[in-house]
Amino acid sequence: MNFSPPQWITDAAEGALKTVGPNHYSHPKGRIRLREAIKNFYEPDFGRSIDVESEILVTSGANEGMYSVLTAFLEQGDEVIMFEPFFDQYLPSVTFNGGKPVYVPLHPPRDVQGKTTSADWTIDFDELRRAITPRAKIIIVNTPHNPVGKVFHRAELERIAALAEEFNLMVMADEVYDCLVFDQEHVRIATLPGMWDRTITVGSAGKAFAATGWRVGWLIGPASLLHPTLAATTRIVFCTNSPLQEAAAAGLEQAKQHKFFEKQLREYAERRAILTDAFDRLGMKYTLPEGSYFVLLVRFVMIINWHH
């Protein structure tokens, strides 16, 4: 990420710093303006009304939000299923809270000679089923995926959802790159039948607006899951940066007017093309990401057989 937030968002941050209210504590749930902006922005995606008082929680970055979820729900020895490779913060967040990570691989494409995309990284669902034990409590679903760039297809999410229902698993849906989907439909697992009540969806102003240093994120989900998470985040940070919550709210409120996400997606697509064209010229093999901003290179190991 090598560019700044748009000026109309940084102007909103500057304006917030010059007024009294945003220079003081916010409610641990988040500033009401931002919660209202999240509600209005995401309700069409979720296809349901979202309650700003009980179904939205603002956190100090998506990472702190996920840590708070794990703090709220994990007991010693509870198992958390993670698709490997994974965002490096999942592991310490699980283990610091007494959880046990259980790894299920995303299998890379067998044929790396041709061009591959992140869709070629697949789940062995028999392997996933075998990984679920009576101690399994949470499964983390990261789409678009860091670092593979995989955008989980509807059929894959439906099979994950079926297992979550069968084994009564909670789902932590890390969707911080939801605004960076190039070639596929972004499906929210929380919108699948029966999944709202067991899913917390994670979002990020930092990823959305090229402002990762602002540390503003949010969680969307049922009150039964967010209420314990609110108790955890209140003890961990109490509240999130007030003036930058105002700026994030302005970003969501005005994004459609500025056609911001469409423009940003084109800019990232141009960068993806420049990078992968260079790899093509060098004869390097890689996975073309369908989402996020990661490109995985294939590392070849040459084995030389010496004859004496």
Side-chain angles (χ1 to χ4, degrees), residues 55-246:
E55 296 178 334
I56 295 170
L57 177 59
V58 176
T59 59
S60 295
N63 194 23
E64 186 270 321
M66 290 187 282
Y67 188 88
S68 294
V69 171
L70 297 170
T71 299
F73 288 98
L74 288 184
E75 297 179 14
Q76 192 70 35
D78 284 343
E79 294 176 352
V80 180
I81 297 168
M82 302 184 288
F83 292 107
E84 193 176 24
F86 50 81
F87 173 47
D88 59 7
Q89 294 299 299
Y90 296 158
L91 178 57
S93 293
V94 169
T95 57
F96 281 16
N97 284 293
K100 177 185 175 184
V102 175
Y103 308 115
V104 175
L106 287 175
H107 291 281
R110 293 177 179 272
D111 178 16
V112 296
Q113 300 307 312
K115 289 193 173 183
T116 63
T117 75
S118 54
D120 296 316
W121 290 67
T122 57
I123 301 166
D124 181 330
F125 281 93
D126 290 333
E127 195 170 29
L128 175 57
R129 174 179 284 275
R130 290 194 300 271
I132 302 172
T133 77
R135 289 306 306 267
K137 181 172 279 187
I138 298 173
I139 182 168
I140 300 175
V141 179
N142 177 205
T143 180
H145 187 273
N146 171 3
V148 172
K150 178 180 176 66
V151 178
F152 284 66
H153 296 174
R154 182 178 295 275
E156 293 172 315
L157 293 174
E158 287 173 343
R159 295 184 72 178
I160 294 169
L163 289 171
E165 288 201 284
E166 180 181 347
F167 292 99
N168 195 27
L169 300 178
M170 178 178 160
V171 176
M172 188 163 71
D174 179 357
E175 300 184 8
V176 298
Y177 297 103
D178 57 0
C179 55
L180 292 176
V181 178
F182 301 106
D183 309 307
Q184 294 293 334
E185 173 194 18
H186 176 59
V187 179
R188 299 187 186 279
I189 192 169
T191 66
L192 299 182
M195 291 306 292
W196 168 260
D197 288 334
R198 65 177 66 250
T199 304
I200 293 180
T201 301
V202 185
S204 167
K207 298 301 191 302
F209 300 117
T212 54
W214 287 13
R215 312 312 299 142
V216 178
W218 47 78
L219 307 175
I220 299 172
S224 59
L225 299 183
L226 288 195
H227 185 70
T229 307
L230 171 62
T233 193
T234 303
R235 299 280 65 82
I236 294 167
V237 295
F238 182 69
C239 71
T240 295
N241 183 308
S242 297
L244 296 181
Q245 287 191 60
E246 292 289 310

Side-chain angles (χ1 to χ4, degrees), residues 46 132 271 308:
F46 282 86
I132 302 172
R271 287 164 170 77
H308 296 284

